[in-house]
Amino acid sequence: MVSVKPSFSGALEMPDDDRAIHTRAWEFVKAFKPQTAALLIIGIDPAAAIEVDTRRSANVLKQMRVSYSHACASAEASSAFGSPLPFAQPAGSLASIQFRVMLERATKWNDARDFINWIRGSNGLFEEQSFSRSDIDQWLIAKGFQSAYAFVAPPAKSAQANAPLSSKERTTLLNTIGGLLALMLETGPLGKTRSGYDDQAAIIDGLLARYAGAAGLSKRNLEAKFAEAKRTLSGRAE
């Protein structure tokens, strides 16, 4: 197994000239060739890169090559007898878009011969590959490498995420709780509740037993919420 130390991790010095990343120009690119990805990782706009930038990115490119070779070697070993076995990509390896397409085809037809020939042939060469944003991002995380360019942007924080519930939203939630509680305690033809719980106390005990420690689930809080839910549903909320 190949072990590679994150020698280009840590803070990256951003160039002060026009070779620095213009992120908007790359936001619509879905696949990256190896050299392009390496330049972006060290903070260089590939469209403005010069020879010195290519040399600076050589170590990143080498790390990518080793990780891609690791993925290929592992896949080839799992398909040694001609039929692709369930392939779990090794941690820290790097699979290309073409690699995944060929692997999926081999799995679909239960025949790995073309896949192995592809890996060993010119089409499987590292330089011929394209890498998706998510694969590069996952590789960087697995290796503990820091990239100057965010291949996968973090999810935007919603302005409503921490906003208090509106009166309508609160009523909707309470009505939902009250309705579910009523359904659970509704008796069937034989006089038994449809849920199997005899009463509200039994439901509370069941919740506390199954979700012990969950935020907001205490006997006192559940009793209060259930009472409020029943009042709201019946139209008697204060």
Side-chain angles (χ1 to χ4, degrees):
M1 180 176 178
V2 178
S3 176
V4 181
K5 294 183 179 180
S7 57
F8 61 92
S9 62
L12 293 171
E13 182 181 352
M14 294 292 291
D16 296 326
D17 52 30
D18 289 338
R19 292 173 293 126
I21 296 176
H22 299 287
T23 55
R24 293 179 64 86
W26 296 95
E27 291 308 300
F28 299 102
V29 178
K30 296 182 179 180
F32 300 86
K33 301 300 288 186
Q35 183 64 74
T36 300
L39 286 166
L40 287 168
I41 288 171
I42 66 169
I44 298 294
D45 180 357
I50 57 179
E51 185 177 351
V52 67
D53 300 322
T54 302
R55 291 198 299 269
R56 285 184 58 205
S57 67
N59 188 39
V60 181
L61 199 63
K62 179 182 178 181
Q63 305 274 16
M64 292 179 66
R65 184 193 305 274
V66 170
S67 295
Y68 170 72
S69 297
H70 189 190
C72 289
S74 298
E76 187 173 356
S78 71
S79 306
F81 298 101
S83 296
L85 300 176
F87 174 68
Q89 184 177 334
S93 64
L94 179 61
S96 67
I97 294 172
Q98 296 92 325
F99 176 97
R100 295 193 184 283
V101 169
M102 294 301 296
L103 178 62
E104 182 179 357
R105 185 181 302 172
T107 303
K108 178 180 179 180
W109 296 107
N110 194 32
D111 187 342
R113 288 174 295 182
D114 286 345
F115 180 43
I116 293 175
N117 289 335
W118 178 85
I119 289 175
R120 295 174 178 173
S122 59
N123 289 331
L125 291 175
F126 173 70
E127 293 78 8
E128 300 299 321
Q129 306 310 299
S130 299
F131 299 92
S132 70
R133 287 180 172 273
S134 60
D135 276 326
I136 296 174
D137 184 66
Q138 290 170 17
W139 174 71
L140 289 165
I141 293 172
K143 287 292 190 180
F145 297 152
Q146 184 180 20
S147 174
Y149 176 75
F151 288 90
V152 176
K157 293 183 179 179
S158 172
Q160 299 179 345
N162 298 316
L165 292 175
S166 67
S167 176
K168 183 178 181 180
E169 289 171 331
R170 180 178 176 80
T171 299
T172 298
L173 287 174
L174 288 170
N175 281 341
T176 301
I177 294 170
L180 289 172
L181 185 62
L183 285 174
M184 291 183 73
L185 296 178
E186 186 177 73
T187 56
L190 300 178
K192 297 288 185 179
T193 59
R194 299 184 186 280
S195 66
Y197 290 97
D198 294 333
D199 51 30
Q200 178 177 302
I203 293 175
I204 292 176
D205 288 342
L207 285 170
L208 295 177
R210 178 166 295 188
Y211 303 108
L217 293 189
S218 67
K219 182 177 181 180
R220 182 177 180 180
N221 194 38
L222 287 170
E223 288 175 342
K225 291 300 180 186
F226 283 173
E228 186 179 5
K230 288 187 286 187
R231 290 197 305 270
T232 301
L233 188 63
S234 63
R236 291 186 284 108
E238 296 179 359

